[in-house]
Amino acid sequence: MYTLVGSPKTRAFRVLWALEELGLEYDLVPDNPRGETASTLNPTGKIPSLKVGEATIIDSVAILQYLADKHGALTYEAGTLERAAQDSFTQFICDEIDGALWTAARNKFVNPEEKRVPAIKDILIWEMERSLKALEQRLGDNEFLMGDKFTVPDILLTHCAGWMRGTGFPLESDTLRAYVRRNINRDAYKKADAIRNPA
């Protein structure tokens, strides 16, 4: 049994989706960043955290890859060239997409007002457009980033696409929009989304 700590409306949704993809049992403890439980598990107060017995894993990407490795799904085996390619996608998404979105958020509402630079968003959008073109080229005609196998970076990129939509970052690529639609039509995504947005 796993315990996921974090609001499903945050990066915790990535882990929620993965748990559903893997068909695992889990408890969900909704908490906001720097909430009481979140701060107990992570010195920065960031979410999500995943409790595994007495141990705690922090950072959504670390949690996703742990679950994928542990349960032998959503990933290629460590030490293979396929895993290296998969990790390349993961790192690119973290650096170029997630990083830009998080920087925009910090300069909109996270940082103290006197430490915000709202104008940075225009630069981030420009940088993001270049990064998305590179991803579109790498995706090509594939169903998923790694071809015909749905893996961890697909969860990351699809979550970031939703984050983009909610924060005014454009996604102009028809190829990437079709890719996102395929992923959000997965049964596990729909189950996780129903928990995030109950009727």
Side-chain angles (χ1 to χ4, degrees), residues 5-81:
V5 176
S7 167
K9 295 186 181 294
T10 68
R11 287 185 180 114
F13 180 78
R14 301 168 176 180
V15 180
L16 183 64
W17 182 6
L19 289 164
E20 292 292 343
E21 288 280 351
L22 295 166
L24 300 173
E25 293 185 9
Y26 62 91
D27 287 327
L28 174 62
V29 179
D31 198 15
N32 294 319
R34 293 174 298 282
E36 183 176 351
T37 305
S39 297
T40 299
L41 297 174
N42 186 342
T44 67
K46 289 183 179 180
I47 52 176
S49 293
L50 186 73
K51 289 191 62 61
V52 184
E54 297 301 315
T56 300
I57 306 171
I58 58 177
D59 184 89
S60 64
V61 177
I63 296 167
L64 288 176
Q65 197 57 59
Y66 165 80
L67 290 171
D69 287 336
K70 174 79 173 177
H71 297 282
L74 305 177
T75 189
Y76 285 89
E77 187 177 351
T80 63
L81 290 173

Side-chain angles (χ1 to χ4, degrees), residues 66-174:
Y66 165 80
L67 290 171
D69 287 336
K70 174 79 173 177
H71 297 282
L74 305 177
T75 189
Y76 285 89
E77 187 177 351
T80 63
L81 290 173
E82 290 86 358
R83 176 60 174 271
Q86 175 190 313
D87 289 345
S88 172
F89 275 117
T90 297
Q91 294 303 319
F92 186 90
I93 294 162
C94 288
D95 290 345
E96 303 294 331
I97 310 299
D98 186 282
L101 292 166
W102 181 230
T103 298
R106 288 201 305 267
N107 284 281
K108 183 174 182 180
F109 62 88
V110 176
N111 289 346
E113 192 167 351
E114 69 275 9
K115 300 294 184 183
R116 299 175 193 169
V117 184
I120 199 170
K121 185 174 179 180
D122 291 338
I123 297 169
L124 295 172
I125 289 174
W126 175 77
E127 291 178 345
M128 179 88 74
E129 288 171 346
R130 295 170 50 192
S131 299
L132 291 171
K133 285 179 182 176
L135 274 176
E136 179 182 31
Q137 184 176 358
R138 292 178 71 180
L139 176 64
D141 295 328
N142 291 333
E143 183 177 8
F144 305 116
L145 292 173
M146 288 297 297
D148 59 359
K149 183 172 181 174
F150 183 81
T151 58
V152 165
D154 292 304
I155 292 177
L156 296 174
L157 183 55
T158 304
H159 176 259
C160 283
W163 191 356
M164 290 170 59
R165 184 175 61 250
T167 54
F169 279 76
L171 180 59
E172 304 292 346
S173 165
D174 290 338

